[in-house]
Structure formats: C-alpha cells, structure tokens
Amino acid sequence: MSIERFIHDLPKCELHVHIEGTLEPELKFKLAARNGIALPFADPKAMRASYAFHDLPSFLALYYGGMEVLLKEPDFYDLTMAYLARAHAQNVRYAEIFFDPQAHTARGVSFDTVIRGLRRAQTDAENRLGVHSQLILCFLRDWSAEFAMATLLESLPYKQWIVGVGLDSDEKNNPPAKFAKVFARAREEGYLLTMHCDVNQEDSVAHIWDCVNLIGVDRIDHGCNALEDAVLCRVLAERKLCLTVCPISNAFVTDGPQTDVVGKMMDLGMRVTINSDDPAYFGGYIEENLALVQSKLGLGREGLATLSRNAFEAAWLPRAVKDGYLAMVDDCLARA
Ligand code: ADE
Ligand code: ZN
C-alpha cells in the first residue's frame, strides 16, 4: 500500500477546524443566491483567486467578511453538512468543531439559529455517514470579556450540545488573562477548555504558560512557540496536553508550515496533532495537512499512526469510545 493510500485510509480525528472556515466559495455563491445577497465576483473561481492574506489579521478580515451569507438555520446546516461529508470522504471518524457565535449574533443572527443548524447537520451526518462530532464554542478575543461572558450565559440552555469552549481571533493585545473569569465560569459550568496560541504572536510563550497555569486549559490550539522553552515543553509532555497544529494554515499566516516543529514535538513525546483550521481558505483538509507533514518529515506509517492516535487520545470522549477508535488505527496499521 502506498503511503498516500495509507494516509487516506488512516482513521482520523480532527480537533481544530473552524466551521466558518470550511465555507467554500461554491457554497458561498449558493447561500448568497438563496438569501438575495449580491457578491462582488463573477463566480466561485474568481472569488477564490481574490483570496490574499499574509498574516492573521488579513486572513481574519476575509474570514469574517465571508460569513455574511450565513443567515438562516439551513445555511448553518448546509455549511456543517458539507464539512462533515468532506471529512467523511477523508476517513475522519470524529471531529471537534469550533464555531464563532459572536461573529453571527453581532450581525443579528440568533445563537439559537446558529446552533440548531449545526446540531441538525451533526445528527444527520452521524446517522447517514457515521461521522461523530462535538461542538466547541469559541469566544472572539478581540471583543470584550463582557461580550464573551454574555455569550457563555447565552450558551447555557444548549449546554448538552457543546463539549467545551475555546478562544480565537486576533491574539495581539488580547492575552489569555483577559478571559480568565469567563473561562473559570465555563469550567464551573462543566465545559472543557482550549485556547488558540497562534504562531509567532507577541508574547507567544508567555501566553502558552498562562493557558497552562492561569487558565488550566485541557488543550492548546497551535502552540508551536512552546518549543522556545524547554521547561514548557517538558510540562506539556508530562501533562499530555495536546497541541493542535495546522501546517497548511501556518504556511499562509506565518513564515512556514512549522512541520519541523511537529517533528521536534514528536521527538519530545509531546501530544501533537495535525488539523486543517480553515480549509476552505487555506486549500487543504486534514488529509492534505497530513500529506504535507509526511513529505516534509519523511514519516512512515508508524509516525502517521502516532499522529492519529495522539488526536484520538486527546479527544473529549469517554475512555471506551477512544479505545474503539484507537483499535481502528491499529487495524489500519496491521492491514498496511
Ligand atoms: N479564527 C479562525 N481561524 C483562526 C486562526 N487560525 N487563528 C485565530 N482565530 C481564528
Ligand atoms: Zn484556528
């Protein structure tokens, strides 16, 4: 079996994907037509060709602009169903999906509309395709802590549909400490916790330390700069704190895909995983991200299986369910 085939067949777990970042231009056009919105491009190809970003803020501007076609429950359903169908086609068995409610409620779309569309697609995808997924509510860190707290309170009636909370958007001048109270309350409410520590931000290493010591996160999104601090790496490895690295995304918004970082983290026994982040914008889903890491690091089947096992181990699932997925990885390896 070729290594490409093995990457495809490997049972996968995606832990870092923004559902709004899976909105492909083709679907944008469909939703815009349905909602009577005019787009300033002739067709999806022209729209895709116009995408230009070189750092996190320039990417985020495009990402938020793209959401304007998402207005009604079926829009959120179609978005989520499209992602889960693509994930299924790449042998993703389980996904933890970020959503950004504030990016919608701030435009007058209700929390209820957003989450009902997402949830209905998750249920259908589970029944029809066998892909299981859970939701992680992300707060936008460039808005106030008060808005985040209000959003947390708004989420509580839907708590059984949400496994955890995260923090995304522009990290500059928006450190983890700004949201300490919100995350403490989220913890009290039973949510698991993660936070973005985007690559090469001001005070990246200090922010990762704050995630660990001040917030007490269960996971870190990106977190590549941890490698600059040997003690931090040891703490992350000892505590088995997962880092959700997104190589193709990194290649667009930083100085490279950080695949060397992935290799070093693996060598240090850190729980690193490979993910797609915003695949409709960066042009690669999980399989393409794994293929990039494999080719840059020359990974064999064992190395690839380790990345997949790391993700299932870090998944916010009961032990017995994780063990079922881990057995599927072992099976795939045995058959290869
Ligand atoms: N929102 C969507 N993608 C993001 C990323 N990579 N970093 C921060 N916020 C995001
Ligand atoms: Zn992200």
Side-chain angles (χ1 to χ4, degrees):
M1 181 192 287
S2 71
I3 199 78
E4 291 78 19
R5 183 78 220 175
F6 181 78
I7 292 171
H8 175 76
D9 285 357
L10 189 63
K12 298 174 193 66
C13 169
E14 170 125 83
L15 299 178
H16 185 155
V17 59
H18 301 262
I19 199 62
E20 296 88 349
T22 70
L23 179 52
E24 296 282 352
E26 288 74 14
L27 185 56
K28 268 190 203 168
F29 268 77
K30 185 176 146 188
L31 300 183
R34 198 157 85 188
N35 289 325
I37 296 170
L39 293 173
F41 300 99
D43 55 35
K45 197 165 163 234
M47 174 182 276
R48 196 173 267 113
S50 78
Y51 287 176
F53 33 80
H54 53 279
D55 58 11
L56 189 55
S58 57
F59 160 69
L60 289 170
L62 196 71
Y63 168 81
Y64 292 121
M67 292 181 202
E68 281 167 18
V69 298
L70 295 166
L71 291 175
K72 308 201 178 94
E73 189 267 4
D75 305 339
F76 292 93
Y77 175 91
D78 287 352
L79 173 69
T80 308
M81 202 57 186
Y83 163 68
L84 287 168
R86 279 190 92 137
H88 170 67
Q90 295 198 340
N91 277 311
V92 171
R93 305 298 166 91
Y94 172 70
E96 284 171 11
I97 302 175
F98 293 132
F99 71 116
D100 284 340
Q102 291 165 280
H104 310 300
T105 56
R107 299 182 289 118
V109 178
S110 75
F111 191 101
D112 186 78
T113 298
V114 176
I115 199 162
R116 280 191 191 283
L118 267 54
R119 176 75 188 174
R120 190 162 62 86
Q122 288 179 273
T123 306
D124 281 358
E126 173 128 31
N127 293 336
R128 290 185 207 155
L129 306 172
V131 193
H132 181 36
S133 59
Q134 298 197 86
L135 294 177
I136 300 175
L137 184 168
C138 271
F139 303 110
L140 302 186
R141 68 199 307 159
D142 41 5
W143 292 78
S144 69
E146 290 72 26
F147 189 13
M149 186 64 95
T151 302
L152 174 65
L153 299 179
E154 203 173 3
S155 79
L156 296 181
Y158 308 90
K159 210 154 91 170
Q160 72 281 10
W161 291 351
I162 301 168
V163 68
V165 297
L167 186 68
D168 64 2
S169 210
D170 197 354
E171 191 167 329
K172 192 173 159 69
N173 299 324
N174 298 300
K178 175 175 166 185
F179 296 93
K181 279 200 190 120
V182 179
F183 275 68
R185 176 68 190 269
R187 171 75 83 204
E188 277 170 30
E189 296 293 344
Y191 289 127
L192 291 163
L193 312 181
T194 187
M195 280 189 171
H196 274 57
C197 291
D198 269 286
V199 183
N200 297 344
Q201 299 293 302
E202 276 169 27
D203 301 322
S204 268
V205 173
H207 288 185
I208 300 172
W209 273 117
D210 276 354
C211 280
V212 176
N213 289 335
L214 180 69
I215 309 295
V217 291
D218 301 288
R219 186 186 295 162
I220 291 168
D221 299 309
H222 299 292
C224 295
N225 295 83
L227 273 191
E228 294 162 23
D229 184 329
V231 178
L232 178 54
C233 286
R234 204 164 56 238
V235 168
L236 295 175
E238 279 168 7
R239 297 192 191 173
K240 296 186 166 47
L241 268 175
C242 171
L243 299 119
T244 62
V245 176
C246 308
I248 296 179
S249 159
N250 290 334
F252 277 95
V253 299
T254 76
D255 55 359
Q258 314 290 328
T259 45
D260 51 331
V261 167
V262 173
K264 286 179 193 148
M265 287 180 172
M266 291 176 82
D267 291 345
L268 291 170
M270 295 164 77
R271 192 170 269 175
V272 58
T273 64
I274 302 302
N275 307 271
S276 67
D277 209 4
D278 301 287
Y281 291 92
F282 301 132
Y285 285 75
I286 192 168
E287 194 170 323
E288 290 78 22
N289 275 277
L290 279 167
L292 178 67
V293 172
Q294 188 281 323
S295 69
K296 293 273 185 197
L297 298 180
L299 287 185
R301 291 167 176 71
E302 237 341 306
L304 288 160
T306 296
L307 289 170
S308 194
R309 285 193 191 107
N310 282 352
F312 284 120
E313 281 288 359
W316 289 340
L317 288 170
R319 183 71 249 170
V321 179
K322 292 192 213 198
D323 285 345
Y325 288 122
L326 291 166
M328 290 181 197
V329 174
D330 289 346
D331 261 15
C332 178
L333 202 53
R335 277 185 284 105

